[in-house]
Amino acid sequence: MKVTLCAVGRLRKGPEAALIDDYLTRFDRTGRALGLGPARMVEVEDRKGGGMAAEGALLARAVPDGALTCVLDERGQVLTSPEFATRLAGWRDEARDVAFVIGGADGIDAGLRDRADAALSFGAMVWPHMLVRAMLAEQLYRAASILAGAPYHRA
């Protein structure tokens, strides 16, 4: 199952980019034997200033054909890490690729959010959209570790 992280904005080189790359590499390595991965990041940028609607259109085009779409949104479902691992395994077992969609500073266009197959939240707090990338990458690795029976997740 291929995993695509579709996100608004360009992440510059630095500690955040290194952290995301590290967790996605770990996910690919751990998930390979489980049928998870590879994971890739697709960044979109609205250079014309069209707002959330323009970002939504760019994000929709970034989602691979046939992929299950899961938006990261504060109104989404809050899952524990083991629940997320189970959900990810279920999507894999449905033989579907998955695209996680991360909006810009103003969130995700309502039309795109309404068309999504799933919505996930990292809690009631609002997180910076650049930090959400790192949090999602870590949770993907954690999910693969849980499914592999590795000791990374201690709950």
Side-chain angles (χ1 to χ4, degrees):
M1 174 184 80
K2 294 177 187 167
V3 176
T4 306
L5 283 68
C6 306
V8 172
R10 305 268 180 224
L11 187 60
R12 294 181 180 88
K13 298 271 186 214
E16 296 90 354
L19 185 63
I20 292 165
D21 288 344
D22 180 49
Y23 280 124
L24 291 181
T25 299
R26 291 181 191 199
F27 170 73
D28 288 346
R29 197 171 32 236
T30 304
R32 186 176 305 128
L34 304 168
L36 298 173
R40 69 184 181 110
M41 176 77 66
V42 176
E43 297 175 317
V44 301
E45 196 166 16
D46 173 31
R47 296 184 184 271
K48 297 180 182 178
M52 283 193 339
E55 289 175 354
L58 291 169
L59 286 167
R61 284 196 298 272
V63 173
D65 289 339
L68 182 140
T69 303
C70 179
V71 294
L72 278 288
D73 186 83
E74 63 187 358
R75 293 167 286 262
Q77 187 176 14
V78 177
L79 301 174
T80 65
S81 294
E83 289 169 340
F84 178 64
T86 300
R87 177 79 47 95
L88 198 62
W91 291 336
R92 176 205 58 206
D93 295 347
E94 293 174 13
R96 297 200 55 191
D97 293 339
V98 63
F100 291 96
V101 177
I102 302 167
D106 294 322
I108 294 177
D109 177 67
L112 178 58
R113 188 176 58 243
D114 293 343
R115 289 191 310 272
D117 299 294
L120 181 64
S121 173
F122 285 142
M125 293 181 174
V126 176
W127 298 97
H129 63 283
M130 293 296 190
L131 184 55
V132 168
R133 296 176 189 207
M135 294 165 64
L136 177 58
E138 191 279 338
Q139 283 300 301
L140 286 168
Y141 168 59
R142 184 176 295 275
S145 296
I146 289 168
L147 295 171
Y152 179 73
H153 179 74
R154 295 174 180 89

